[in-house]
Amino acid sequence: MAEMLLCVGLLGGILLAGRAEPYCVPDERQSADEAKEKIGFGAFAAKQQSGQLEKRQRELYGQKIEELEQLLSDHPTQQGEIYREYINSIYLFPESYHGGLRAEYAEGEARVFQIAVLGWETEEKQKYQCRLLADGSLWFTYQTENPCENDLPDYLVNEEVLRYDRADFVYDDGETDVEEARKIRNDEIERYLAEEAEGKIQEFWSVQGRLYKIDREAETFVDVSEEKESCIADFLWEQTKRIHCRLRVSADCIREVEKYKPEGYRLLWGINGWDEIAVCDLNHDGRMDYVVALYPEDYEKKIQQSEWFDPYEKLPQYYGAGFWLLLSLGDMPWENYMQIQLSDSIVYQDDSMTLVETAFTEEGILQLEYFVGRAPFCDICLRFWYDEEEQDFYIIGSGYRENNTFLKKAEEHYGRTNLYSFFAFPQSHYKNAGGWVTDVRMKDGNLLDFYSDRFQYRCENLLEEHHINSLIWEKEYELYEALKEQYPGMEMELGMETVPVFQNQKLVAGRVEVYGDVKGSYDFRTEMPILLDRQSGAYVTVTGLLEKEEFLQIFECWSEDAMFRGCMEEQEQRECRRRIAGYWEQADLVESYAGPQKERLILEMTEEGVRVVIWLERGQRERYFMIDKEYFFGTKVWEYLKPERSR
């Protein structure tokens, strides 16, 4: 039954059916006993429970629908100003996205917004209609052209995938017709939103910490708070906070900053810098406060002293700038602003990256994004929270991307570090490890031709850092020892390269790859995942988190969807199923990764899901695919991979 439920997902709340106890009134006992004999006790109990659950869902509908309708009628669609954004994905996920957002707002508050997103490859649309209601709840509809019930768009289950560009921001070079350019951009976004989408419109209500799916035809309220639909609600709640902050930013902010900035300083990017001003009422006095990047008028002297070198052709002023906070001193418009220097620099430690965003993503949370679009592609978002008493910002986390790596770090990785210290005093746990050495002598006297130590854990807690790294090194050495045993008495040349793959609050994941040459025989290569539970400080494996039958059932669900999309053939599905079942028990044994004659199954947890690689003899990959993380919803694997969003 449990295996079947993994595929059927939500069918009218069947997943919850096992929580109720079967019950028959006395005068129905005889007919109930006959029914048990005909269909079996298990099926009979499930039918009874399903009926009782549907009854409760109908009762909930009767209790809640009038309240919801009243809230919807009390808050009609606003006829205010319009805010628009382009949407696009920033990273190489299996699917890239583009689309548009439109919010209607009045008195600085958006209560209604729409989102339309289109996949580049699949061309499948997702559309959202959202309304913040008077009681603080969120009502929305979701429409998707994806017919695969278990699949969700990547941006719903992965963090920091989408970027948002204001439609009203047009670079003013003195020649462009700014208003005409804005009109063109607005019209393009409206076309995204106006395009029809196929697929059933699903209705939801997120209220008091619960999420209900509403079926008006069946007249049911289904509680899906613990189901994968909750990812949709979390994503949209995140949008409400972000839009609320972005609405405060406009070209008018330039005048305020110019009026109250410290003497002798200028706004980075000049008149085009208004999109890079972060605006929030930090001291709750009713006046907006500003975080901006300013540079001194004598910046040439400053950058000469720092001996800067720029291979990426940034403006010289960039290297002379720092972050400043303009904090209001009262609630009256004629009162002045306090000028607080937050940092002496805006240059990230990897100076190939450029500051591309300074913005509040929610009240009191400042986000700084750095990005480089040329190879190697990389991006980092730094988040700081505002301490009202100290009138300063402290780092609470970061998300770093490079190629196929995503590393998310929390406050405990950095300690209590303010913005000034972060940019003034680079420390090892701020950045990602990386190094390449040759001729590394091992304990047994043998040499590694080369060794890359990019897969290292960084944390302010040095004991924790050392413990996690010692487990990584232990696994690397185990693989080295297993390879030696595979070729006893033979001369080998080995090189070892390690790469980080994924890190969040619970998981530290990476991969070690070994390239070898056995003299007088052949060349080979192998790779092995290393997965660590960051909180317990112990190894973790996919085979330890799931039973083989459970994983095969998940594979069955995913592969059926993959075949529907044309990404897998039926013969390939059968062969992969056979090999997964055959190699499961050996998948996480170190000796399974040693030697080219070994066929092996590799199961690696990544940000997107579980990466599955099936190797044949002599180091040849036969199959490679990614089972998206949402297919593991409700399992222990999901607990390690689920997005960390707050409502």
Side-chain angles (χ1 to χ4, degrees), residues 54-194:
E54 185 175 349
K55 180 182 178 181
R56 290 198 297 272
Q57 291 169 351
R58 287 179 177 273
E59 291 173 350
L60 191 60
Y61 181 90
Q63 297 168 5
K64 295 284 189 180
I65 193 64
E66 289 187 9
E67 178 185 353
L68 174 60
E69 291 292 358
Q70 183 64 45
L71 287 167
L72 290 171
S73 63
D74 287 348
H75 190 75
T77 302
Q78 290 173 286
Q79 299 297 320
E81 297 182 76
I82 305 298
Y83 173 80
R84 298 178 182 88
E85 290 179 332
Y86 281 114
I87 295 175
N88 56 78
S89 53
I90 66 168
Y91 201 58
L92 306 176
F93 278 87
E95 177 64 63
S96 298
Y97 300 93
H98 58 109
L101 178 148
R102 181 183 193 269
E104 300 177 24
Y105 67 99
E107 298 179 356
E109 187 172 21
R111 287 285 180 176
V112 179
F113 64 95
Q114 307 167 55
I115 298 175
V117 182
L118 180 68
W120 279 109
E121 295 183 7
T122 64
E123 296 186 349
E124 292 171 351
K125 301 185 189 71
Q126 298 94 45
K127 299 190 76 172
Y128 307 84
Q129 299 276 350
C130 310
R131 293 177 64 177
L132 273 172
L133 304 180
D135 64 345
S137 63
L138 176 67
W139 172 91
F140 65 90
T141 63
Y142 170 61
Q143 184 181 18
T144 179
E145 294 182 334
N146 182 359
C148 301
E149 181 182 340
N150 295 286
D151 192 22
L152 288 174
D154 293 322
Y155 60 84
L156 290 179
V157 291
N158 294 290
E159 299 171 77
E160 300 172 16
V161 177
L162 299 180
R163 293 191 70 179
Y164 308 90
D165 298 316
R166 299 177 67 109
D168 60 351
F169 177 72
V170 176
Y171 187 84
D172 187 355
D173 58 4
E175 298 179 1
T176 302
D177 186 332
V178 174
E179 292 305 318
E180 179 63 22
R182 284 175 178 164
K183 183 179 184 305
I184 293 172
R185 291 162 65 90
N186 289 337
D187 290 345
E188 185 176 349
I189 291 173
E190 291 297 332
R191 282 195 293 273
Y192 276 117
L193 298 168

Side-chain angles (χ1 to χ4, degrees), residues 406-409 413 454-459 464-465 468-469 471-472 499-511 529-540 604-606 640-641:
F406 179 59
L407 307 178
K408 184 172 183 179
K409 298 182 179 180
H413 288 93
R454 289 187 61 224
F455 181 31
Q456 288 191 35
Y457 180 71
R458 288 289 181 259
C459 183
E464 178 184 325
E465 178 180 299
I468 295 294
N469 284 328
L471 293 176
I472 295 171
V499 292
V501 173
F502 180 50
Q503 178 180 311
N504 62 8
Q505 283 289 80
K506 296 193 68 175
L507 183 69
V508 178
R511 184 185 313 134
I530 302 176
L531 309 174
L532 296 160
D533 186 315
R534 179 179 164 269
Q535 295 176 347
S536 67
Y539 296 113
V540 63
E604 178 182 62
M605 286 190 282
T606 72
Y640 281 96
L641 300 182

Side-chain angles (χ1 to χ4, degrees), residues 324-344:
W324 286 77
L325 167 62
L326 304 181
L327 187 67
S328 61
L329 293 173
D331 58 359
M332 303 307 292
W334 58 80
E335 294 186 273
N336 212 331
Y337 275 75
M338 184 186 304
Q339 301 159 347
I340 302 172
Q341 186 168 8
L342 298 173
S343 76
D344 196 39

Side-chain angles (χ1 to χ4, degrees), residues 18 187 201 204 217 237 241 307 355 471 558 572 620 635:
D187 290 345
I201 297 177
F204 296 88
E217 292 183 5
W237 275 115
K241 292 181 283 190
E307 297 182 356
L355 178 68
L471 293 176
W558 174 84
E572 185 180 4
Q620 298 295 317
T635 71

Side-chain angles (χ1 to χ4, degrees), residues 268-502:
L268 193 64
W269 319 124
I271 62 172
N272 292 298
W274 65 267
D275 191 39
E276 296 299 324
I277 298 174
V279 185
C280 186
D281 183 6
L282 295 172
N283 51 10
H284 313 292
D285 62 0
R287 296 178 73 195
M288 292 298 109
D289 307 299
Y290 305 92
V291 175
V292 292
L294 302 174
Y295 69 93
E297 294 175 351
D298 60 347
Y299 66 90
E300 292 92 345
K301 180 179 179 181
K302 180 178 178 181
I303 59 178
Q304 287 172 0
Q305 292 174 344
S306 66
E307 297 182 356
W308 64 277
F309 171 71
D310 179 26
Y312 295 96
E313 300 178 354
K314 297 186 182 74
L315 292 173
Q317 298 94 311
Y318 185 88
Y319 291 89
F323 291 111
W324 286 77
L325 167 62
L326 304 181
L327 187 67
S328 61
L329 293 173
D331 58 359
M332 303 307 292
W334 58 80
E335 294 186 273
N336 212 331
Y337 275 75
M338 184 186 304
Q339 301 159 347
I340 302 172
Q341 186 168 8
L342 298 173
S343 76
D344 196 39
S345 172
I346 65 171
V347 180
Y348 184 63
Q349 293 152 14
D350 178 356
D351 62 3
S352 65
M353 291 186 176
T354 301
L355 178 68
V356 294
E357 181 182 65
T358 306
F360 286 99
T361 54
E362 58 182 287
E363 296 297 321
I365 303 299
L366 176 68
Q367 177 167 293
L368 306 176
E369 182 182 3
Y370 289 80
F371 178 80
V372 57
R374 54 177 64 87
F377 177 102
C378 47
D379 174 273
I380 187 165
C381 287
L382 306 168
R383 282 173 293 278
F384 299 81
W385 67 277
Y386 181 67
D387 186 317
E388 288 191 52
E389 292 187 3
E390 298 191 19
Q391 297 177 341
D392 205 351
F393 287 87
Y394 291 84
I395 192 163
I396 56 170
S398 64
Y400 175 83
R401 292 188 186 281
E402 181 182 0
N403 297 328
N404 295 317
T405 295
F406 179 59
L407 307 178
K408 184 172 183 179
K409 298 182 179 180
E411 184 175 2
E412 56 264 31
H413 288 93
Y414 298 99
R416 187 169 170 80
T417 302
N418 67 2
L419 199 149
Y420 191 96
S421 297
F422 184 90
F423 284 93
F425 308 109
Q427 299 180 35
S428 61
H429 58 271
Y430 287 175
K431 50 188 178 180
N432 303 294
W436 183 280
V437 292
T438 58
D439 297 330
V440 180
R441 186 167 299 280
M442 307 299 284
K443 290 190 294 185
D444 58 6
N446 289 324
L447 290 177
L448 284 179
D449 286 351
F450 63 85
Y451 174 69
S452 157
D453 63 348
R454 289 187 61 224
F455 181 31
Q456 288 191 35
Y457 180 71
R458 288 289 181 259
C459 183
E460 187 199 34
N461 185 328
L462 296 182
L463 290 177
E464 178 184 325
E465 178 180 299
H466 179 74
H467 176 66
I468 295 294
N469 284 328
S470 66
L471 293 176
I472 295 171
W473 298 327
E474 181 180 305
K475 278 295 180 186
E476 292 172 358
Y477 196 76
E478 282 184 30
L479 180 58
Y480 169 77
E481 290 287 305
L483 287 166
K484 283 204 311 178
E485 292 178 10
Q486 185 67 39
Y487 306 101
M490 300 179 70
E491 186 178 354
M492 292 188 300
E493 293 182 0
L494 297 178
M496 183 177 291
E497 182 175 1
T498 67
V499 292
V501 173
F502 180 50

